Amino acid sequence: MLQTIEGADQYTFHTLLENVEIEEPEVYRVKESLEKARAQLRAFPGSIDAIVGYIDMPVGFMVPILCCEFGLPTASLESVLKCQHKYWSRLEQSRVIPDHIPDFNLVDPFADDPLAQIELDYPFWLKPVKSAGSYLGFRIDDKSEFEKRIQAIRDNIRRLSDPFDHILEYANLPDEIAGVDFNYCIAEQIVSGRQCTLEGYVFEGDCHVFGVVDSIRYPNRSTFSRYEYPSRLPGRVTRRMISITREFLDYIGFNNSTFNAEFFWDERDDRIWLLEVNTRISQSHSYLFAMVDGASNHQSLIEVGLGLRPGMPHRQGRYHYASKFYYRMFQDAIVERVPGQEDVQRIEQQIPDAMIRVNVSEGMKLCNLREQDSYSYDIAWIFVAGNTRQELQARYRECVTALDFRFAYRHQ
């Protein structure tokens, strides 16, 4: 994806930390990773012109810290936290765009009676103030469901929260946030509608959105089925979303960084809900922009990181449409067959510009997949492009059939 951007041959990209260290490790070591990154940067013999990242945790927090220390363009850590810390984000949003956010309550899952902190009617969402991939996020329909899920949160939240509390030591926190570490949760009113994501950047105070991607869910309404680009939403709706995003990011002082903002449009009431703002590009969308617009969204990441105004192309790609499909299972099973690398390469050659990533291995139990949402198992990612939306669906089905996954279902 980095090689799809304009001027890629003029840049040299250096790995600062290996993926295995920072993506889904058994134990997150945020403090140690920061020290390792600093040491590598100090020892680097050449010029350091940008430090960028496109992974949520911990990279999304490390980039502003490191850029600040090495004098490079970046958003402030406080403005990043005002997006990424779900409770702090909702507090700030309630002051500037109150009509576009759900009702919410702060929840200490380790309190004697955490349910007493929630003033919302059932059903509602319960999730950590910072997580990844909807990990430990639950729809709560009644008291018994709450008691079950709060125990799961108590048992698992510290794996993420404790290492990341180190990040808060670098930020100037207001009194209302100083005691709210990453062991807390947030309960939110459930909102719904047609979902989309705005991708853009803020450069020297100018907020620009260069693409809108639809996020299409399975019938359970909590699990992603696919991302599809360009969006089908009416222009009048996406323009309102852009205005809401600009108002919020300007209010919190977010600057010199990429972002993506997730929204619902309730078509019946013509109401727009802001779900969240992520302070990075979405890797899930990179292929989509490359196929349709002619360059990955990495171009905005690199250019704003260098202190340049990004020049993202528009509709200069080989296709009119592109999608990332999530091939999922909705019950636990043992993986009996996984397509090998040769199988995957053959399918990618047969279906023009298809790209496949397999997320499971033979013999594994799906319940052992790390950091999944609470309702499904993410088996593979299938990226396809085409000149009609029907062609996207046909190419996806062709990939699934050819991959020939096989599972042994576990009867309860």
Side-chain angles (χ1 to χ4, degrees):
M1 290 294 106
L2 286 168
Q3 298 307 318
T4 70
I5 71 175
E6 183 179 354
D9 58 337
Q10 303 299 310
Y11 303 130
T12 303
F13 303 109
H14 300 269
T15 299
L16 186 53
L17 294 171
E18 296 291 343
N19 278 13
V20 69
E21 300 175 75
I22 51 179
E23 283 197 285
E24 302 181 14
E26 287 294 326
V27 178
Y28 284 97
R29 303 187 185 280
V30 177
K31 185 175 182 178
E32 293 86 345
S33 294
L34 272 169
E35 287 300 328
K36 183 175 180 179
R38 287 190 185 101
Q40 186 168 333
L41 290 165
R42 293 188 190 113
F44 185 68
S47 65
I48 300 170
D49 303 302
I51 303 172
V52 300
Y54 42 81
I55 297 169
D56 191 11
M57 297 198 310
V59 174
F61 295 129
M62 294 172 67
V63 167
I65 293 171
L66 293 172
C67 283
C68 182
E69 292 178 0
F70 286 84
L72 296 167
T74 186
S76 69
L77 178 60
E78 288 76 14
S79 68
V80 169
L81 284 166
K82 287 176 184 178
C83 296
Q84 295 295 293
H85 187 299
K86 294 182 188 298
Y87 179 64
W88 195 359
S89 190
R90 288 304 192 203
L91 281 182
E92 297 295 332
Q93 292 163 14
S94 69
R95 292 162 181 151
V96 63
I97 50 169
D99 295 337
H100 301 291
I101 63 170
D103 293 334
F104 62 96
N105 296 131
L106 180 67
V107 180
D108 177 0
F110 297 99
D112 292 338
D113 184 8
L115 186 59
Q117 303 168 83
I118 300 175
E119 301 173 352
L120 306 173
D121 294 330
Y122 297 111
F124 56 81
W125 285 111
L126 181 67
K127 45 196 164 184
V129 295
K130 185 57 192 165
S131 185
S134 300
Y135 180 60
L136 296 180
F138 300 103
R139 176 189 166 109
I140 306 299
D141 292 303
D142 53 37
K143 182 178 180 180
S144 64
E145 178 82 3
F146 178 84
E147 291 172 348
K148 175 183 176 183
R149 301 307 189 183
I150 203 72
Q151 188 58 53
I153 290 171
R154 286 169 169 167
D155 291 343
N156 295 284
I157 193 172
R158 291 194 184 278
R159 174 178 167 265
L160 288 178
S161 62
D162 286 354
F164 285 94
D165 282 341
H166 177 67
I167 297 295
L168 299 178
E169 298 174 13
Y170 290 88
N172 294 315
L173 303 177
D175 291 342
E176 60 191 350
I177 297 298
V180 184
D181 61 21
F182 289 140
N183 282 305
Y184 277 77
C185 292
I186 186 171
E188 288 192 342
Q189 169 195 359
I190 290 179
V191 295
S192 62
R194 294 170 62 179
Q195 187 174 353
C196 72
T197 303
L198 279 57
E199 283 251 6
Y201 59 83
V202 182
F203 177 73
E204 295 184 351
D206 178 25
C207 177
H208 178 74
V209 171
F210 54 76
V212 182
V213 178
D214 283 336
S215 304
I216 300 169
R217 295 176 180 262
Y218 281 97
N220 70 6
R221 296 187 178 183
S222 63
T223 302
F224 285 118
S225 165
R226 68 186 186 275
Y227 297 116
E228 190 171 295
Y229 182 63
S231 172
R232 303 186 195 209
L233 292 181
R236 66 174 182 83
V237 173
T238 57
R239 286 191 291 272
R240 286 164 59 196
M241 291 175 176
I242 292 169
S243 178
I244 293 165
T245 304
R246 284 175 173 158
E247 191 170 4
F248 172 60
L249 292 180
D250 181 66
Y251 178 77
I252 65 172
F254 183 80
N255 197 13
N256 296 321
S257 181
T258 54
F259 69 86
N260 67 80
E262 300 177 31
F263 284 92
F264 274 131
W265 175 45
D266 182 339
E267 191 171 6
R268 185 186 65 180
D269 295 333
D270 194 24
R271 185 164 184 179
I272 292 172
W273 300 98
L274 173 61
L275 277 70
E276 63 180 2
V277 178
N278 298 300
T279 55
R280 54 176 173 77
I281 64 168
S282 170
Q283 291 185 87
S284 292
H285 301 162
S286 299
Y287 169 94
L288 281 59
F289 287 113
M291 292 296 105
V292 176
D293 288 337
S296 166
N297 49 1
H298 288 75
Q299 181 157 328
S300 63
L301 174 77
I302 298 301
E303 291 179 334
V304 77
L306 289 166
L308 305 173
R309 182 177 295 277
M312 284 289 293
H314 185 70
R315 305 298 188 265
Q316 296 179 30
R318 294 189 295 276
Y319 299 95
H320 296 315
Y321 303 98
S323 263
K324 174 186 179 179
F325 285 85
Y326 288 85
Y327 178 41
R328 297 183 186 271
M329 301 292 289
F330 288 86
Q331 67 182 93
D332 196 12
I334 297 174
V335 182
E336 288 195 329
R337 183 190 183 277
V338 170
Q341 188 59 38
E342 290 184 0
D343 296 323
V344 170
Q345 290 175 350
R346 174 177 48 80
I347 297 166
E348 291 177 338
Q349 290 169 0
Q350 289 175 348
I351 302 173
D353 289 306
M355 190 170 72
I356 298 166
R357 174 177 167 179
V358 175
N359 298 326
V360 296
S361 57
E362 288 184 10
M364 76 179 300
K365 297 176 182 178
L366 296 183
C367 62
N368 291 332
L369 276 169
R370 301 296 296 273
E371 295 181 10
Q372 301 292 297
D373 74 19
S374 302
Y375 303 98
S376 70
Y377 304 101
D378 188 1
I379 307 302
W381 301 341
I382 301 174
F383 299 83
V384 291
N387 287 317
T388 67
R389 297 185 191 274
Q390 293 74 19
E391 191 173 14
L392 293 181
Q393 293 283 346
R395 288 184 169 181
Y396 168 67
R397 290 192 295 268
E398 188 177 350
C399 286
V400 170
T401 300
L403 286 168
D404 191 24
F405 285 97
R406 297 176 193 172
F407 305 92
Y409 295 97
R410 307 174 67 198
H411 298 290
Q412 300 297 325

